[in-house]
Amino acid sequence: MQILLVGEKSSITTTIKTMLQLIEDWSIQLYSDLDNLGNSKEIKAEFDLLVANIEDFNQASTEVVSKICDQFPDTPLLVVHSYLNKELIKPMITAGAIGYIRNDVSEDKLIEAVQKVASGTKCIITEST
């Protein structure tokens, strides 16, 4: 599976990348320039999934989700954030994300969410480790 991880090199994004790289046959590419995401010459692959740690960006969560979805309209998006309240999560789903996980999710739950969202299944995990 080809995964594009969108976020800065924060500890959470780095941890997510490390967890995802442990899965054989999964290729993870990290990219942090949200404004040039879809136009970057560095990004040459077709992706099966986008995973975005939207806390890494200084914009409203729905804006970040919309920008990513506009640049990759046919690729499922899994959002990572610290929200527990489903009323805060719902606007991100409405903006185009298919899945949501908390930023302190366990490796097993992360993998579960990645597999579900990559297959097009809605997945919201608000429990923490």
Side-chain angles (χ1 to χ4, degrees):
M1 179 178 340
Q2 298 286 329
I3 300 172
L4 179 62
L5 177 57
V6 181
E8 300 289 332
K9 291 185 179 181
S10 65
S11 61
I12 292 169
T13 301
T14 302
T15 300
I16 290 169
K17 183 178 180 188
T18 301
M19 287 193 284
L20 294 175
Q21 286 177 322
L22 295 174
I23 307 301
E24 195 172 314
D25 297 328
W26 285 11
S27 173
I28 316 305
Q29 185 174 349
L30 177 62
Y31 195 76
S32 24
D33 184 357
L34 187 62
D35 292 326
N36 293 309
L37 186 61
N39 301 319
S40 173
K41 293 178 182 163
E42 296 173 35
I43 300 176
K44 298 175 182 152
E46 291 289 321
F47 296 99
D48 301 302
L49 177 69
L50 303 169
V51 178
N53 180 9
I54 60 174
E55 286 185 314
D56 282 350
F57 301 101
N58 293 324
Q59 298 175 23
S61 58
T62 53
E63 274 184 50
V64 175
V65 169
S66 292
K67 277 186 180 182
I68 294 170
C69 290
D70 286 348
Q71 294 181 61
F72 290 92
D74 299 323
T75 307
L77 172 63
L78 174 62
V79 170
V80 180
H81 203 290
S82 61
Y83 294 146
L84 283 170
N85 185 328
K86 292 192 179 192
E87 293 304 313
L88 297 172
I89 298 166
K90 189 176 179 180
M92 292 185 291
I93 302 299
T94 302
I98 292 179
Y100 171 85
I101 56 172
R102 287 211 8 149
N103 60 9
D104 61 350
V105 70
S106 69
E107 184 177 333
D108 290 341
K109 291 293 183 183
L110 173 63
I111 292 166
E112 173 189 337
V114 163
Q115 291 171 328
K116 284 183 177 180
V117 173
S119 71
T121 302
K122 184 176 175 184
C123 179
I124 298 174
I125 299 175
T126 56
E127 64 193 62
S128 59
T129 56

